[in-house]
Amino acid sequence: MTMRSKSAVLSLVALLTMSVGWSVSGQAQPPGQAPVQGPGRGRGEPPPPPPPQTGHPSGKLVIWGDLASFDVPGTLPTHCILTNRFKHGQRLGIRMTAIDGGSGEVENTAVLTAHLSYAGGTIDVPMRWRGVGGFPAAEYPRQPSEMWTGVWVVPADAPIGVMKYTVTAVDRFGRTATFSPFINAVSQLTIVDQ
């Protein structure tokens, strides 16, 4: 891959990350989820992904994303605001995108899972591909086909402090990718008192 094509892919990833941050909707999840090893809670099985796109796979699988408040109702002023500070009972939203590194296009066959280190174990939060279904036009000027989201409600007994997380992805072609947030302690997912 040439330096110019690497720059183009990185630019596309940055652009997609910004556009993901501009429009996101929360997902329903029961409050007070207890820490468990294994699958997290969601809205049932997501619909199957569409067939592979022409020209895929043609590079590495690349994933990137952020954290946001998925407060309900969506009319709250903090809904979809980027943050890494969450209080007990708050809905932590994990937003990601998956890119075919060769073509720079969204890899819609990817399956993403967030992994939260909690209470000496790992909570796996399956992420839902948001490229299907009707979304409110007032919130989404276009369908969010580049976005996967997952939700975890911070339990009342969650300890205050930094909480580690990663996101993994695998696509239909067997390619894998892992996302870890920046290592700076200030930018880590943190459970706060107030």
Side-chain angles (χ1 to χ4, degrees), residues 41-47 128:
R41 294 185 183 171
R43 286 195 214 167
E45 288 297 314
R128 183 180 180 104

Side-chain angles (χ1 to χ4, degrees), residues 49 85 109 135 172:
R85 304 287 191 259
T109 69
F135 294 89
R172 183 172 289 179

Side-chain angles (χ1 to χ4, degrees), residues 45-126:
E45 288 297 314
Q53 299 114 298
T54 304
H56 292 212
S58 58
K60 290 184 176 183
L61 180 63
V62 179
I63 61 174
W64 188 258
D66 58 28
L67 301 176
S69 170
F70 276 11
D71 288 333
V72 173
T75 56
L76 292 175
T78 54
H79 180 67
C80 286
I81 299 294
L82 297 179
T83 185
N84 65 329
R85 304 287 191 259
F86 293 87
K87 300 175 193 173
H88 297 118
Q90 193 170 9
R91 290 167 47 88
L92 182 156
I94 306 149
R95 307 182 307 181
M96 299 295 294
T97 191
I99 306 291
D100 174 84
S103 68
E105 297 173 344
V106 172
E107 182 50 70
N108 60 18
T109 69
V111 175
L112 282 72
T113 304
H115 311 281
L116 306 171
S117 296
Y118 182 77
T122 300
I123 298 172
D124 292 333
V125 178

Side-chain angles (χ1 to χ4, degrees), residues 64 84 162 164-165 179-189:
W64 188 258
N84 65 329
V162 172
K164 297 191 181 301
Y165 79 99
F179 169 81
S180 296
F182 292 114
I183 59 171
N184 184 306
V186 176
S187 65
Q188 298 297 307
L189 165 59

Side-chain angles (χ1 to χ4, degrees), residues 16-27:
L16 287 171
T17 300
M18 287 186 289
S19 56
V20 167
W22 290 331
S23 60
V24 169
S25 171
Q27 297 179 6

